[in-house]
Amino acid sequence: MGNKAKMYLDIMACHPEVTGSCFLGVLKLPNRETVKFVIDCGLFQEKDYDSLNNELPFDCNEIAFVLVTHNHVDHIGRLPLLFKRGYSGKIYCSDKTEILLPLALNDSLKVLSDVYKRKHQPQLYSLKDVESTLKNVEGINFNHKIQIHPNIEVTFIENGHLIGATMILIEINYPGEEPINVLFTGDYNYKNDFIYLPEIPERIKNMKLSIVIESTYGDTSANDVIYGHFSQKVLQSIEERKTIILPVFSLGRSQEILLRLKELQDNDKLDVNVPIYFDGKLAQAYTALYINSKDLIDESKKDFFPKNLTFVNSENRNELLQTTDCKIIVTTSGMGTYGPAQVYIPYFISQKNALILFTGYTAEGTLGADLKNAEEGETVKIGGLICKKFADVSYCNEFSAHAKSEELIELLKKFNNLRGVLINHGQTETKDRFAEKILKEIDINEVGILNREYFFRIGSYGIIKTLSTKFK
C-alpha cells in the first residue's frame, strides 16, 4: 500500500455485518473539493444491532447523492431517515427498483410505526419522509452510464439477486489523474428464475478496478447446499396429510416458492387437489406487479401460479385456521417475525401434524432463528405467547438469492485488471474466511474487510491505506 495520492476515495461500511447495509463514500479531488455520497441505507434486522437504526454516522446535509443496489428492506428501509435528517438530493437506482420502491417503503413505514409504538419510542420516520424519498427517486436503465457529478459517472449492471438488483460501477475521472473505478456488487447472484441475465460488459471486465464484494455465504460452498430438501419435505408432509407453513420474503422468494409448487404440480409430484394459500399483503402486491407491469419481467416468465391457489386476507384467515385438511400456506414474513406468519406459527407450532419450513436466511434474534434451537416439547416464546414446540420445524438453503463462495470467486475472476478487493455484507467470521479464500485463489496481494471501524482509502491502483473511525 502506498501513502500519497492527489485523488482518492474513502469507503466506510456503516453496518457491522449483514443487515442495515449502508456505505459512506468520501471523494477527495485534486482541486480540494470533497464529494460525499451514500450507497444503500437499510434497516438492521439483527437484534444486537437494533439500536443502530437510529444512527447515521454522517451529516445528511453534506451528502451529494444516494445510490441504491436493490429493493430489500435491509438495503432501502432507512432511506426516508436520510430526508428526515436533512438530505434533499436524488436517489439513483435501476428503473425496475424504482417501480418496486413505493410498496417497500410504505410497508416499512407501517411495520416500523407498530414496532416503535410498542417500544414507546418516537417513530423512526414519517409518511412525509417517505413521500419526500419517493419524489426524489430517479430510475436508470441497466448499462446506461450517467454523469451525476462533473467527475463521477455511474453505471447500474443487472444481477440475479432480485428483480431490479444491480452491481454499481462508479468511475471517477479528473484531468491529468489516473481514473478510480470501483464496483459495488451489492447482494449478488448469477442466476434468477425470472430474469434473462446478460453478461457483464467487456469494457468493465477490462478496466482497472477495485471491487466491494458481498460475502453473505462467503464460507459456504455450493456443495453444502441441500438441493431437493424443499421438495422432499413438502411431499413427505403431504403424504402425512400435514398442514405446511412456508414463511417467505415478500419480494423474490414469495414468487419463487409459488413457481416451485407449480413445477411440482406440472411434474405430477404434487397433487393439484391439495389447496395452496398465499397470505401477506406486501407479497401479494409485489406478485400483482410481476403479473401486471410491462417493465418488470418478461411475458414468458409470468406463468408461475400453481393450480388451486387462494389469496388470503384478514377476512378469510381465521376461517383458514379452522380447517383441518392437508394444505400449504405460503406466508410472510420470511424470518417469521412480522406479517401473517405471526398468526400461523403460534397457532401451528404446538401441532404435531404441521410442518413449518423456512425458505431463507433467518437473522439472529428473529423468530425463525430462535426456533432452531428448541427441541420437541420445549417451550418457545412467540410475541407475548408461550407455546410448546411439537411441529416439525425445518430450514432449507437451496433458494438463497446470494452466490456461494466459489461463485463469488468466479465473479472476481471475470475482471482482468483487479486492483483491490473489499469484503462486505457478511458475519465477521465469514468475512475473515472469505478473505483467506480470495488470497489463495485470486492474483491479489491484500484484501480489506469492511466494517464500522475503518475507512479504506482507494486510489487508481487499489487500496492505499486504512483509517480508524470512532464507530464500533
Side-chain angles (χ1 to χ4, degrees):
M1 291 191 291
N3 287 313
K4 293 183 179 180
K6 293 181 181 178
M7 182 172 75
Y8 56 83
L9 175 65
D10 289 342
I11 300 172
M12 169 189 168
C14 305
H15 50 281
E17 296 191 296
V18 177
T19 70
S21 286
C22 182
F23 293 102
L24 174 62
V26 181
L27 172 63
K28 292 287 188 177
L29 294 168
N31 63 1
R32 297 188 178 180
E33 181 183 359
T34 298
V35 183
K36 296 183 180 181
F37 61 89
V38 167
I39 298 180
D40 289 345
C41 196
L43 281 166
F44 290 94
Q45 294 174 294
E46 299 101 332
K47 188 178 291 184
D48 288 347
Y49 301 127
D50 184 64
S51 63
L52 295 180
N53 278 321
N54 285 286
E55 183 182 323
L56 294 173
F58 48 82
D59 185 343
C60 294
N61 290 285
E62 297 177 352
I63 301 303
F65 59 88
V66 175
L67 308 174
V68 167
T69 59
H70 68 284
N71 189 59
H72 272 153
V73 70
D74 63 321
H75 290 257
I76 54 87
R78 287 189 297 160
L79 289 175
L81 186 60
L82 296 176
F83 287 84
K84 181 178 181 179
R85 301 270 172 90
Y87 180 66
S88 58
K90 289 284 190 181
I91 295 175
Y92 298 94
C93 61
S94 73
D95 51 357
K96 293 186 178 183
T97 295
E98 183 183 17
I99 295 170
L100 300 167
L101 262 175
L103 285 176
L105 291 182
N106 281 295
D107 182 75
S108 179
L109 173 66
K110 179 179 179 296
V111 171
L112 287 172
S113 297
D114 292 342
V115 169
Y116 279 78
K117 187 176 181 179
R118 288 198 300 270
K119 292 179 177 180
H120 305 288
Q121 294 177 355
Q123 203 164 303
L124 192 62
Y125 50 76
S126 68
L127 177 59
K128 180 182 176 182
D129 301 318
V130 172
E131 291 171 344
S132 297
T133 305
L134 294 174
K135 284 178 184 176
N136 285 277
V137 172
E138 185 170 331
I140 307 298
N141 292 335
F142 293 121
N143 296 326
H144 176 68
K145 186 192 293 190
I146 61 168
Q147 187 105 30
I148 58 176
H149 178 275
N151 303 100
I152 304 172
E153 295 173 310
V154 171
T155 306
F156 292 96
I157 305 155
E158 189 171 23
N159 92 65
H161 175 70
L162 186 73
I163 298 293
T166 69
M167 297 188 285
I168 300 177
L169 174 67
I170 298 177
E171 297 175 72
I172 302 166
N173 292 279
Y174 194 92
E177 297 293 321
E178 284 288 324
I180 299 173
N181 303 311
V182 184
L183 179 71
F184 292 79
T185 69
D187 290 358
Y188 171 79
N189 202 0
Y190 67 97
K191 61 183 179 180
N192 187 301
D193 286 325
F194 294 96
I195 302 171
Y196 296 109
L197 277 174
E199 186 53 78
I200 298 169
E202 289 298 318
R203 79 169 186 93
I204 298 174
K205 288 182 181 179
N206 291 323
M207 67 171 48
K208 296 173 183 177
L209 193 66
S210 293
I211 292 184
V212 178
I213 188 168
E214 73 130 311
S215 62
T216 312
Y217 289 104
D219 60 353
T220 301
S221 168
N223 295 327
D224 297 328
V225 178
I226 307 173
Y227 292 103
H229 178 69
F230 174 81
S231 300
Q232 182 261 324
K233 289 295 292 186
V234 167
L235 296 176
Q236 176 186 328
S237 297
I238 293 297
E239 282 187 16
E240 297 169 356
R241 309 305 297 168
K242 289 184 176 181
T243 291
I244 301 170
I245 310 298
L246 302 175
V248 291
F249 305 124
S250 295
L251 178 58
R253 193 58 42 81
S254 295
Q255 297 77 29
E256 187 177 8
I257 292 301
L258 293 178
L259 175 61
R260 287 291 174 269
L261 294 173
K262 178 184 185 300
E263 289 172 346
L264 288 174
Q265 289 177 341
D266 291 346
N267 292 323
D268 296 324
K269 293 181 178 179
L270 175 60
D271 188 344
V272 296
N273 293 309
V274 174
I276 300 172
Y277 299 93
F278 184 32
D279 201 350
K281 270 188 180 180
L282 185 59
Q284 293 173 0
Y286 279 134
T287 301
L289 277 180
Y290 270 51
I291 298 298
N292 298 322
S293 174
K294 295 179 180 179
D295 300 314
L296 275 183
I297 63 174
D298 191 270
E299 287 295 324
S300 64
K301 300 284 189 178
K302 293 185 176 183
D303 181 21
F304 61 89
F305 282 8
K307 297 179 178 66
N308 207 5
L309 178 67
T310 301
F311 283 65
V312 181
N313 55 41
S314 57
E315 295 178 2
N316 60 0
R317 188 176 299 132
N318 286 335
E319 182 180 329
L320 172 59
L321 289 172
Q322 303 308 314
T323 62
T324 58
D325 57 327
C326 172
K327 55 189 170 293
I328 298 171
I329 303 172
V330 181
T331 184
T332 56
S333 67
M335 300 187 194
T337 306
Y338 303 110
Q342 283 282 291
V343 176
Y344 294 115
I345 293 177
Y347 188 86
F348 287 103
I349 192 68
S350 299
Q351 300 185 24
K352 291 185 176 181
N353 201 37
L355 165 69
I356 302 169
L357 177 57
F358 287 88
T359 61
Y361 178 75
T362 52
E364 287 302 315
T366 62
L367 176 58
D370 292 345
L371 291 177
K372 281 184 180 179
N373 300 321
E375 299 292 334
E376 182 177 344
E378 279 189 32
T379 57
V380 292
K381 188 174 182 180
I382 306 176
L385 296 173
I386 303 296
C387 313
K388 284 190 175 181
K389 175 187 171 183
F390 289 108
D392 179 5
V393 180
S394 188
Y395 301 77
C396 60
N397 62 3
E398 63 194 279
F399 298 111
S400 173
H402 297 266
K404 307 304 181 291
S405 60
E406 63 265 50
E407 295 159 349
L408 293 169
I409 294 293
E410 285 304 308
L411 173 64
L412 291 175
K413 287 180 177 179
K414 290 178 183 289
F415 302 99
N416 301 318
N417 285 292
L418 196 56
R419 295 299 193 238
V421 176
L422 298 178
I423 299 177
N424 166 58
H425 201 280
Q427 293 180 335
T428 301
E429 299 79 6
T430 300
K431 288 189 284 190
D432 290 344
R433 286 193 284 267
F434 186 48
E436 293 172 3
K437 186 176 180 67
I438 291 174
L439 289 171
K440 287 179 182 177
E441 300 189 29
I442 300 292
D443 183 19
I444 198 164
N445 294 324
E446 56 193 10
V447 175
I449 298 177
L450 283 161
N451 54 42
R452 290 165 55 90
E453 298 177 27
Y454 297 99
F455 272 102
F456 281 85
R457 182 157 293 176
I458 302 296
S460 58
Y461 291 94
I463 300 170
I464 299 172
K465 64 178 179 179
T466 63
L467 303 92
S468 295
T469 72
K470 61 183 179 180
F471 308 108
K472 298 295 181 182

